[in-house]
Amino acid sequence: MKVCLCLLNRTNALRVSTPSWVASPKLHSQLDHYSRYEPTPLSIKQLSDFGYKPIEKDSLVFLRKEVPVRLANILKEISVAPPLLLETKSAKLVTSWYWKSFEDILDFELSDPDDESVREAFCKTLVSISVRHREVVPLMAEAVLDMNDLLGYCYNELPSRKGCHDASNKLSYNITYFLDRFYMSRIGIRMLINTHTLHFAKATAAHGFAGGVDHCTDVVKVLRGAYEDSKLLCESNYIDSPELQLRVDNVINPDAPVQFVYVPSHLYHILFELFKNAMRATMEKAEPDASTYPPIRAHVCQGKEDIAIRISDQGGGISQRKIESVFDYMYTTAPRPSDAMDGGLANMAGYGYGLPISRLYSRYFHGNLELHSMDGYGTDAIVYLKLLSNEAEELLPVYNSRVKQRYNASVTCNDWTHNNSSIRRLFTTYRR
């Protein structure tokens, strides 16, 4: 495929002097070894059962094999990710963190799990890994924003050159494919680490750890907490906020609360992002002198197999042309948080990663997040979660030869009459 020269010639603008992690030959050999294994997905039931009677030795023996396998798989994938991303300062730093964490966890490869000092050191290592990786999401977001600046130059300087657009379309596809897998891997690794440290590490609360499985996650309680926190944020930016109208249906037991085995912090993350988006849209659509605002409606329904949560707003909706882009990491209407003149707007909008990552959280245990919008009116966001804990199993990326083929694929020529990119993308396939 022809690539626009302006895109390639400005790659150096993203290159920095920060050295990449230099791994020893032995560490590379260990990476090759562990990347041959596939991650072992756990169900919520398995995680929950472990919580009833946690055994530190058994957890250590499992994690000292499983964590390196997951780190090795994603490190292999990082090595074949789009070079424009890997050459940014932020991406290089994140990559070095993954190498360092892989090296740290391998120190326990042959350790005696019966030794109390080993178990204590293992916990401390897991805590340090978790703390080290805290800023991964904003750092990778910064890397993509730098790439967006580069692509913006390409579009603005040479809007008529098809090669430039084809190159950026392929890049956008690869970036979304990579980051979905990268962030899903991160969620899975943190889930394992948090499960262990919450039970065995000392003073984990001081590090702000969360992520444990709750055997009776109260959906309405989590929802109200997410709404109230979103409301405070909204009022700090817009003075006022929309009210909440809540409906709850439990098909199995109408008089019982909607509760199930889940990770409350994951559910909170999803709902907080949806409420935040709904409030921002509602407030920005309203007239400047408005004193009342359309309410945000939430509907929680527990069925026989799923729990569904719908968040509805009247914030103007999203057009069909744009709806396909809201889960694209290369697309955001938010300003850079560091560059925004209005810090409040940056707090409400963040990096524009809320929806893509919220969908990953919902899909992590085989649920989903869907958007249905009416342009000019409003948007319905629907979260689907597995009710049965034995069916809610981790969805994890696996590195293999086909992954590399995906990144090397080339976009086929357009064989549809309409040239609109958002329509064409629905029917565009990629091949080697």
Side-chain angles (χ1 to χ4, degrees):
M1 181 181 67
K2 233 172 143 184
V3 179
C4 180
L5 288 178
C6 72
L7 184 61
L8 297 178
N9 291 339
R10 290 181 63 86
T11 303
N12 288 334
L14 296 182
R15 297 182 187 274
V16 294
S17 59
T18 304
S20 299
W21 176 266
V22 180
S24 66
K26 179 182 179 182
L27 196 59
H28 272 291
S29 176
Q30 290 171 311
L31 180 73
D32 291 337
H33 169 74
Y34 278 97
S35 65
R36 294 190 184 102
Y37 296 94
E38 290 190 6
T40 303
L42 302 177
S43 68
I44 287 185
K45 185 178 188 307
Q46 288 174 302
L47 292 167
S48 175
D49 289 346
F50 172 79
Y52 278 117
K53 191 176 180 181
I55 301 175
E56 188 172 7
K57 173 186 172 180
D58 292 348
S59 181
L60 187 155
V61 170
F62 174 71
L63 293 186
R64 71 178 180 183
K65 170 70 180 296
E66 183 63 20
V67 173
V69 166
R70 296 190 185 193
L71 287 171
N73 270 260
I74 203 60
L75 274 169
K76 280 289 189 178
E77 186 134 356
I78 289 174
S79 70
V80 297
L84 279 171
L85 180 66
L86 299 182
E87 287 295 335
T88 64
K89 179 179 180 180
S90 300
K92 285 184 176 182
L93 180 59
V94 168
T95 302
S96 72
W97 288 349
Y98 272 80
W99 273 108
K100 176 59 176 170
S101 298
F102 181 67
E103 184 180 47
D104 287 350
I105 202 72
L106 289 182
D107 288 342
F108 299 91
E109 191 174 24
L110 302 176
S111 299
D112 181 7
D114 292 314
D115 189 330
E116 184 178 351
S117 63
V118 169
R119 296 197 298 269
E120 184 176 345
F122 185 74
C123 271
K124 289 181 178 179
T125 297
L126 292 181
V127 170
S128 67
I129 289 173
S130 186
V131 172
R132 178 185 299 139
H133 289 249
R134 267 186 182 170
E135 301 302 317
V136 163
V137 174
L139 279 172
M140 293 302 287
E142 285 283 0
V144 175
L145 286 173
D146 287 339
M147 293 179 61
N148 269 338
D149 291 343
L150 179 65
L151 289 173
Y153 169 85
C154 176
Y155 286 133
N156 293 333
E157 292 295 314
L158 296 166
S160 62
R161 296 181 75 169
K162 181 178 180 296
C164 180
H165 290 268
D166 285 348
S168 57
N169 285 340
K170 177 187 174 183
L171 180 62
S172 178
Y173 170 87
N174 284 344
I175 289 295
T176 298
Y177 176 78
F178 167 70
L179 288 180
D180 273 347
R181 295 166 64 82
F182 176 79
Y183 288 132
M184 188 68 92
S185 171
R186 180 177 184 270
I187 292 170
I189 292 170
R190 291 183 74 85
M191 187 72 219
L192 294 183
I193 291 176
N194 288 345
T195 299
H196 185 92
T197 55
L198 282 170
H199 285 102
F200 307 118
K202 298 176 181 178
T204 53
H207 295 281
F209 275 68
V213 173
D214 188 337
H215 306 95
C216 294
T217 300
D218 190 321
V219 175
V220 173
K221 182 179 179 180
V222 175
L223 183 145
R224 288 192 181 278
Y227 168 78
E228 291 298 332
D229 289 346
S230 301
K231 180 180 179 181
L232 287 174
L233 184 59
C234 183
E235 290 175 352
S236 70
N237 291 285
Y238 300 102
I239 310 302
D240 208 340
S241 63
E243 293 299 317
L244 173 67
Q245 292 183 357
L246 176 62
R247 174 181 171 181
V248 181
D249 291 314
N250 189 331
V251 175
I252 306 300
N253 188 348
D255 298 324
V258 177
Q259 296 179 335
F260 72 135
V261 184
Y262 202 67
V263 185
S265 62
H266 289 191
L267 180 57
Y268 172 88
H269 181 104
I270 297 167
L271 296 179
F272 176 75
E273 183 62 33
L274 296 181
F275 277 127
K276 187 176 67 171
N277 287 347
M279 289 183 184
R280 180 186 174 203
T282 300
M283 300 305 292
E284 293 187 354
K285 185 192 176 188
E287 297 294 332
D289 58 348
S291 58
T292 59
Y293 307 92
I296 293 176
R297 295 182 172 86
H299 185 187
V300 177
C301 182
Q302 177 176 328
K304 295 180 180 180
E305 297 183 12
D306 301 325
I307 288 179
I309 307 167
R310 181 175 62 196
I311 309 294
S312 305
D313 67 65
Q314 298 177 45
I318 308 169
S319 68
Q320 180 190 2
R321 179 176 61 86
K322 294 180 179 179
I323 196 73
E324 293 296 324
S325 300
V326 296
F327 293 108
D328 188 337
Y329 296 95
M330 300 283 284
Y331 172 86
T332 177
T333 59
R336 280 180 184 261
S338 58
D339 296 341
M341 295 298 293
D342 181 355
L345 181 59
N347 288 333
M348 285 295 285
Y351 286 94
Y353 271 27
L355 283 174
I357 292 182
S358 293
R359 185 169 69 171
L360 293 180
Y361 272 111
S362 66
R363 289 179 171 179
Y364 176 54
F365 284 118
H366 285 268
N368 202 10
L369 168 60
E370 297 179 359
L371 294 185
H372 303 277
S373 191
M374 297 177 66
D375 188 20
Y377 181 76
T379 302
D380 287 356
I382 306 178
V383 182
Y384 299 97
L385 304 172
K386 288 284 187 182
L387 178 61
L388 305 178
S389 60
N390 62 315
E391 294 183 359
E393 189 177 82
E394 290 181 292
L395 178 64
L396 302 170
V398 176
Y399 178 81
N400 52 42
S401 59
R402 292 188 177 183
V403 172
K404 190 172 183 178
Q405 291 175 8
R406 285 222 179 212
Y407 291 112
N408 293 330
S410 60
V411 64
T412 63
C413 61
N414 180 30
D415 54 0
W416 294 85
T417 56
H418 204 291
N419 197 40
N420 182 283
S421 60
S422 63
I423 300 296
R424 188 172 67 244
R425 187 173 181 179
L426 298 176
F427 302 98
T428 299
T429 58
Y430 290 78
R431 66 185 179 192
R432 292 186 65 184

